[in-house]
């Protein structure tokens, strides 16, 4: 059959209209025939609401794309050309627990960074392994575009433990390009950036405007308080002296490492007030969004979606899919196997870096040695991620403890152990790999 089959796992997500908008916008370069939105029984109501909006969006576009809603993941994956993953195991309730457990120990409670990210990874790894088994069996040539967080760690689990062709993706790099363009007051297609690091720990090594290096100009503006953050991260100002001496552009998530005390205090205050943690705020936003989506007159992505942190998600995903399909040999910032790109890190770990994308995949552009200032943090977070991948696959208590005890945001083994025991206890239903082991 002519045209592409796309399977979206976690199709009931409120981000689906974003993705649909991307496919509609790029219809001239991507001949999509079918989009399967797949979810689990518990997500059926959301799948129906967002799926019907997706159908209305396609109808409005006049394109011949068949949007199918299903709870049968295997049917969705069978013979797909591209599978994208945007699911959240345990939903926002689990995210809220991930944020609240660490705060009891006065350490960061965040969905991807620190102990919260570890808990999310432990819930996600068994599910992604199952999905990959389905892909290996039913669509062995498909590309898996993984958005599921913690995206770098999950991509590494797929790369190390399955035969699926995968590329991990995040909206932070594309978001940074857009924000730098805004800071410079220019169109974002005139700005290019060299990125290097890990997912949610990526540095803008250089920023270019029309090919000219403007890194220091951007840093000066940031040091003077220009905004560079996502909707889910408080926009605390950077230390001017640090930025000017580093000469690189940090991603919004670096704040969790460089401004830990202020951010933990901020989180504790929010958690103890009516505001609640980010998951609890997002629950309110989601409720409103689904009410808006349910309006049978609505046939576009509504602007209210901009309250979520995932802006430009569709641009990143659909342009990457198009670069693979059309063999574009175009630069994208993606999560891929290191393979010597960053000197010193193991070959088989995932990194977030610029890569040349063609029909055979993403080929990272060599970076070489990194300065100790940024390499030190990357190395220790990467070691935490490597241990977490193995812990998530095996359910090994000792490895899990090693991972948490090593994490730069966790101060001691005592705290690591308290966190781990509580994470296992509160996630029992989602951690089959840990059963009878703790
Ligand atoms: C950022 C991150 C995403 C994350 C999102 C959370 O954009 O890059 O990985 O999913 O924020 O946003 P939310 O609205 O759920 O807090």
């Amino acid at each position: 059959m002519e045209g592409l089959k796309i399977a979206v796992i976690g199709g009931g997500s409120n981000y689906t209209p974003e993705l649909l908008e991307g496919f509609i916008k790029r219809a001239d370069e991507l001949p999509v025939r079918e989009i399967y939105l797949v979810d689990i029984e518990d997500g059926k109501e959301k799948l129906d609401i967002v799926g019907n909006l997706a159908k209305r969006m396609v109808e409005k576009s006049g394109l011949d794309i068949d949007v199918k809603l299903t709870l049968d993941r295997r049917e969705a994956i069978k013979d797909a050309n591209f599978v994208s993953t945007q699911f959240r195991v345990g939903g926002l309730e689990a995210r809220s627990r991930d944020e609240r457990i660490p705060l009891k120990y006065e350490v960061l409670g965040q969905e991807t960074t620190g102990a919260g990210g570890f808990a999310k990874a432990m819930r996600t790894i068994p599910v992604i392994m199952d999905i990959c088994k389905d892909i290996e069996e039913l669509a062995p040539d498909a590309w898996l575009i993984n958005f599921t967080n913690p995206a770098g760690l999950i991509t590494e689990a797929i790369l190390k433990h399955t035969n699926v062709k995968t590329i991990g993706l995040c909206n932070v790099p594309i978001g940074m390009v857009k924000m730098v363009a805004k800071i410079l007051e220019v169109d974002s297609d005139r700005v290019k950036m060299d990125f290097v690091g890990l997912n949610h720990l990526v540095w803008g090594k250089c920023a270019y405007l029309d090919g000219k290096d403007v890194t220091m100009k951007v840093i000066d503006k940031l040091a003077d308080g220009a905004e560079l953050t996502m909707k889910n991260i408080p926009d605390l100002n950077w230390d001017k002296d640090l930025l000017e001496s580093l000469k690189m552009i940090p991603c919004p998530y670096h704040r969790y490492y460089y401004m830990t005390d202020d951010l933990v205090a901020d989180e504790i205050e929010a958690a103890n007030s009516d505001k609640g943690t980010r998951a609890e705020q997002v629950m309110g936003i989601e409720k409103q969004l689904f009410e808006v989506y349910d309006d049978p007159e609505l046939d576009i992505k509504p602007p209210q979606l901009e309250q979520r942190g995932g802006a430009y998600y569709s641009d990143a995903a659909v342009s990457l899919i198009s670069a693979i399909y059309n063999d574009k040999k175009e630069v994208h910032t993606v999560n891929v196997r290191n393979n010597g790109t960053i000197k010193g890190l193991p070959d088989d770990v995932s990194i977030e870096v610029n890569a040349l994308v063609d029909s055979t995949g993403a080929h990272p552009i060599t970076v070489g040695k990194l300065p100790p200032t940024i390499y030190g943090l990357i190395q220790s977070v990467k070691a935490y991620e490597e241990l977490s991948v193995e812990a998530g696959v095996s359910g090994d208590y000792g490895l899990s403890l090693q991972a948490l005890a090593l994490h730069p945001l966790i101060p001691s083994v005592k705290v690591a152990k308290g966190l781990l025991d509580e994470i296992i206890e509160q996630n029992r239903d989602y951690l089959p790999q840990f059963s009878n082991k703790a």
Side-chain angles (χ1 to χ4, degrees):
M1 262 213 276
E2 289 282 294
L4 298 170
K5 174 176 178 181
I6 313 280
V8 182
I9 318 272
S13 157
N14 65 182
Y15 282 118
T16 292
E18 171 91 25
L19 194 61
L20 257 292
E21 188 188 66
F23 283 120
I24 292 169
K25 264 201 319 212
R26 286 192 161 74
D28 53 338
E29 51 184 288
L30 263 186
V32 176
R33 174 186 90 236
E34 289 173 316
I35 301 179
Y36 275 73
L37 301 176
V38 50
D39 221 299
I40 56 170
E41 186 65 48
D42 280 356
K44 186 170 183 316
E45 199 188 333
K46 280 168 64 179
L47 177 67
D48 282 340
I49 295 174
V50 80
N52 286 329
L53 170 58
K55 288 181 179 182
R56 294 194 296 274
M57 287 172 73
V58 168
E59 200 181 300
K60 183 183 184 204
S61 73
L63 292 164
D64 191 15
I65 301 176
D66 196 1
V67 177
K68 293 205 158 84
L69 315 184
T70 180
L71 302 184
D72 183 346
R73 189 173 79 201
R74 288 174 63 84
E75 178 200 11
I77 288 176
K78 191 170 176 0
D79 299 326
N81 302 93
F82 292 91
V83 180
S84 84
T85 45
Q86 50 174 37
F87 61 89
R88 187 190 290 286
V89 181
L92 287 168
E93 287 76 19
R95 175 172 172 186
S96 158
R97 292 195 291 272
D98 293 350
E99 292 165 343
R100 283 188 178 267
I101 295 171
L103 293 182
K104 285 199 220 164
Y105 298 81
E106 296 183 8
V107 299
L108 186 82
Q110 212 279 329
E111 80 161 331
T112 59
T113 304
F118 173 85
K120 189 173 194 319
M122 295 306 106
R123 287 193 303 276
T124 307
I125 287 175
V127 179
I128 199 83
M129 291 295 119
D130 263 4
I131 293 171
C132 285
K133 275 192 203 126
D134 286 349
I135 299 176
E136 284 167 355
E137 181 193 332
L138 302 166
D141 294 329
W143 279 99
L144 169 57
I145 310 295
N146 177 57
F147 254 105
T148 291
N149 270 325
L153 202 158
I154 298 303
T155 302
E156 185 166 317
I158 302 168
L159 289 169
K160 285 181 169 170
H161 292 280
T162 79
N163 293 317
V164 170
K165 299 191 291 186
T166 192
I167 299 178
L169 202 54
C170 178
N171 66 329
V172 164
I174 189 173
M176 285 173 70
V177 169
K178 304 265 184 196
M179 288 182 273
V180 164
K182 197 168 162 208
I183 290 172
L184 298 171
E185 297 174 20
V186 299
D187 258 14
S188 61
D189 51 13
R190 293 174 59 195
V191 174
K192 300 271 176 290
M193 289 175 73
D194 291 339
F195 286 101
V196 64
L198 309 182
N199 178 233
H200 287 182
L201 195 66
V202 74
W203 287 92
K205 252 183 87 188
C206 260
Y208 307 93
L209 173 62
D210 300 329
K212 192 169 150 260
D213 188 341
V214 288
T215 318
M216 287 316 290
K217 187 170 172 189
V218 175
I219 285 174
D220 285 347
K221 299 236 181 202
L222 280 182
D224 285 341
E227 189 184 333
L228 198 150
T229 198
M230 334 282 291
K231 283 282 186 308
N232 55 316
I233 303 177
D235 188 23
L236 300 191
N237 275 358
W238 282 93
D239 183 89
K240 207 174 160 90
D241 295 324
L242 180 77
L243 276 199
E244 284 173 354
S245 73
L246 273 174
K247 301 184 177 54
M248 290 198 201
I249 302 167
C251 83
Y253 283 80
H254 277 104
R255 289 192 179 86
Y256 291 122
Y257 295 91
Y258 286 95
M259 306 175 193
T260 319
D261 44 2
D262 285 344
L263 282 168
V264 171
D266 193 77
E267 285 188 344
I268 291 175
E269 201 188 314
N272 291 336
S273 74
D274 289 346
K275 191 173 175 198
T277 66
R278 178 69 187 164
E280 292 148 18
Q281 295 160 31
V282 168
M283 286 176 197
I285 299 173
E286 265 210 18
K287 192 167 169 284
Q288 285 170 15
L289 274 173
F290 276 93
E291 278 164 21
V292 174
Y293 290 177
D294 209 12
D295 175 358
E297 298 298 312
L298 183 77
D299 55 11
I300 52 162
K301 178 190 89 177
Q304 290 92 328
L305 184 54
E306 281 162 23
Q307 298 170 77
R308 299 294 307 273
Y312 314 118
Y313 152 63
S314 69
D315 269 351
V318 183
S319 66
L320 176 66
I321 291 175
S322 176
I324 298 172
Y325 174 75
N326 292 303
D327 194 24
K328 280 195 179 170
K329 302 176 178 63
E330 191 175 71
V331 176
H332 289 255
T333 310
V334 287
N335 285 263
V336 280
R337 199 174 185 273
N338 181 37
N339 273 347
T341 309
I342 298 180
K343 203 166 171 206
L345 291 185
D347 277 347
D348 62 350
V349 300
S350 70
I351 57 167
E352 190 164 281
V353 71
N354 287 14
L356 211 60
V357 177
D358 63 19
S359 59
T360 64
H363 311 284
I365 298 167
T366 304
V367 174
K369 221 171 148 201
L370 291 174
T373 22
I374 71 167
Y375 183 63
L377 184 56
I378 287 176
Q379 199 183 26
S380 61
V381 173
K382 182 39 77 183
Y384 146 80
E385 289 190 351
E386 288 187 79
L387 289 162
S388 300
V389 166
E390 295 323 310
V393 170
S394 64
D396 186 299
Y397 185 87
L399 280 176
S400 309
L401 187 59
Q402 285 184 48
L404 287 173
L406 181 71
H407 198 287
L409 297 179
I410 296 174
S412 70
V413 179
K414 187 174 83 185
V415 171
K417 200 162 204 170
L419 286 166
L420 178 57
D421 290 343
E422 215 161 325
I423 287 169
I424 295 177
E425 184 52 39
Q426 293 205 28
N427 286 281
R428 281 263 168 233
D429 295 348
Y430 301 107
L431 302 181
Q433 73 276 47
F434 284 88
S435 54
N436 306 321
K437 285 190 183 156

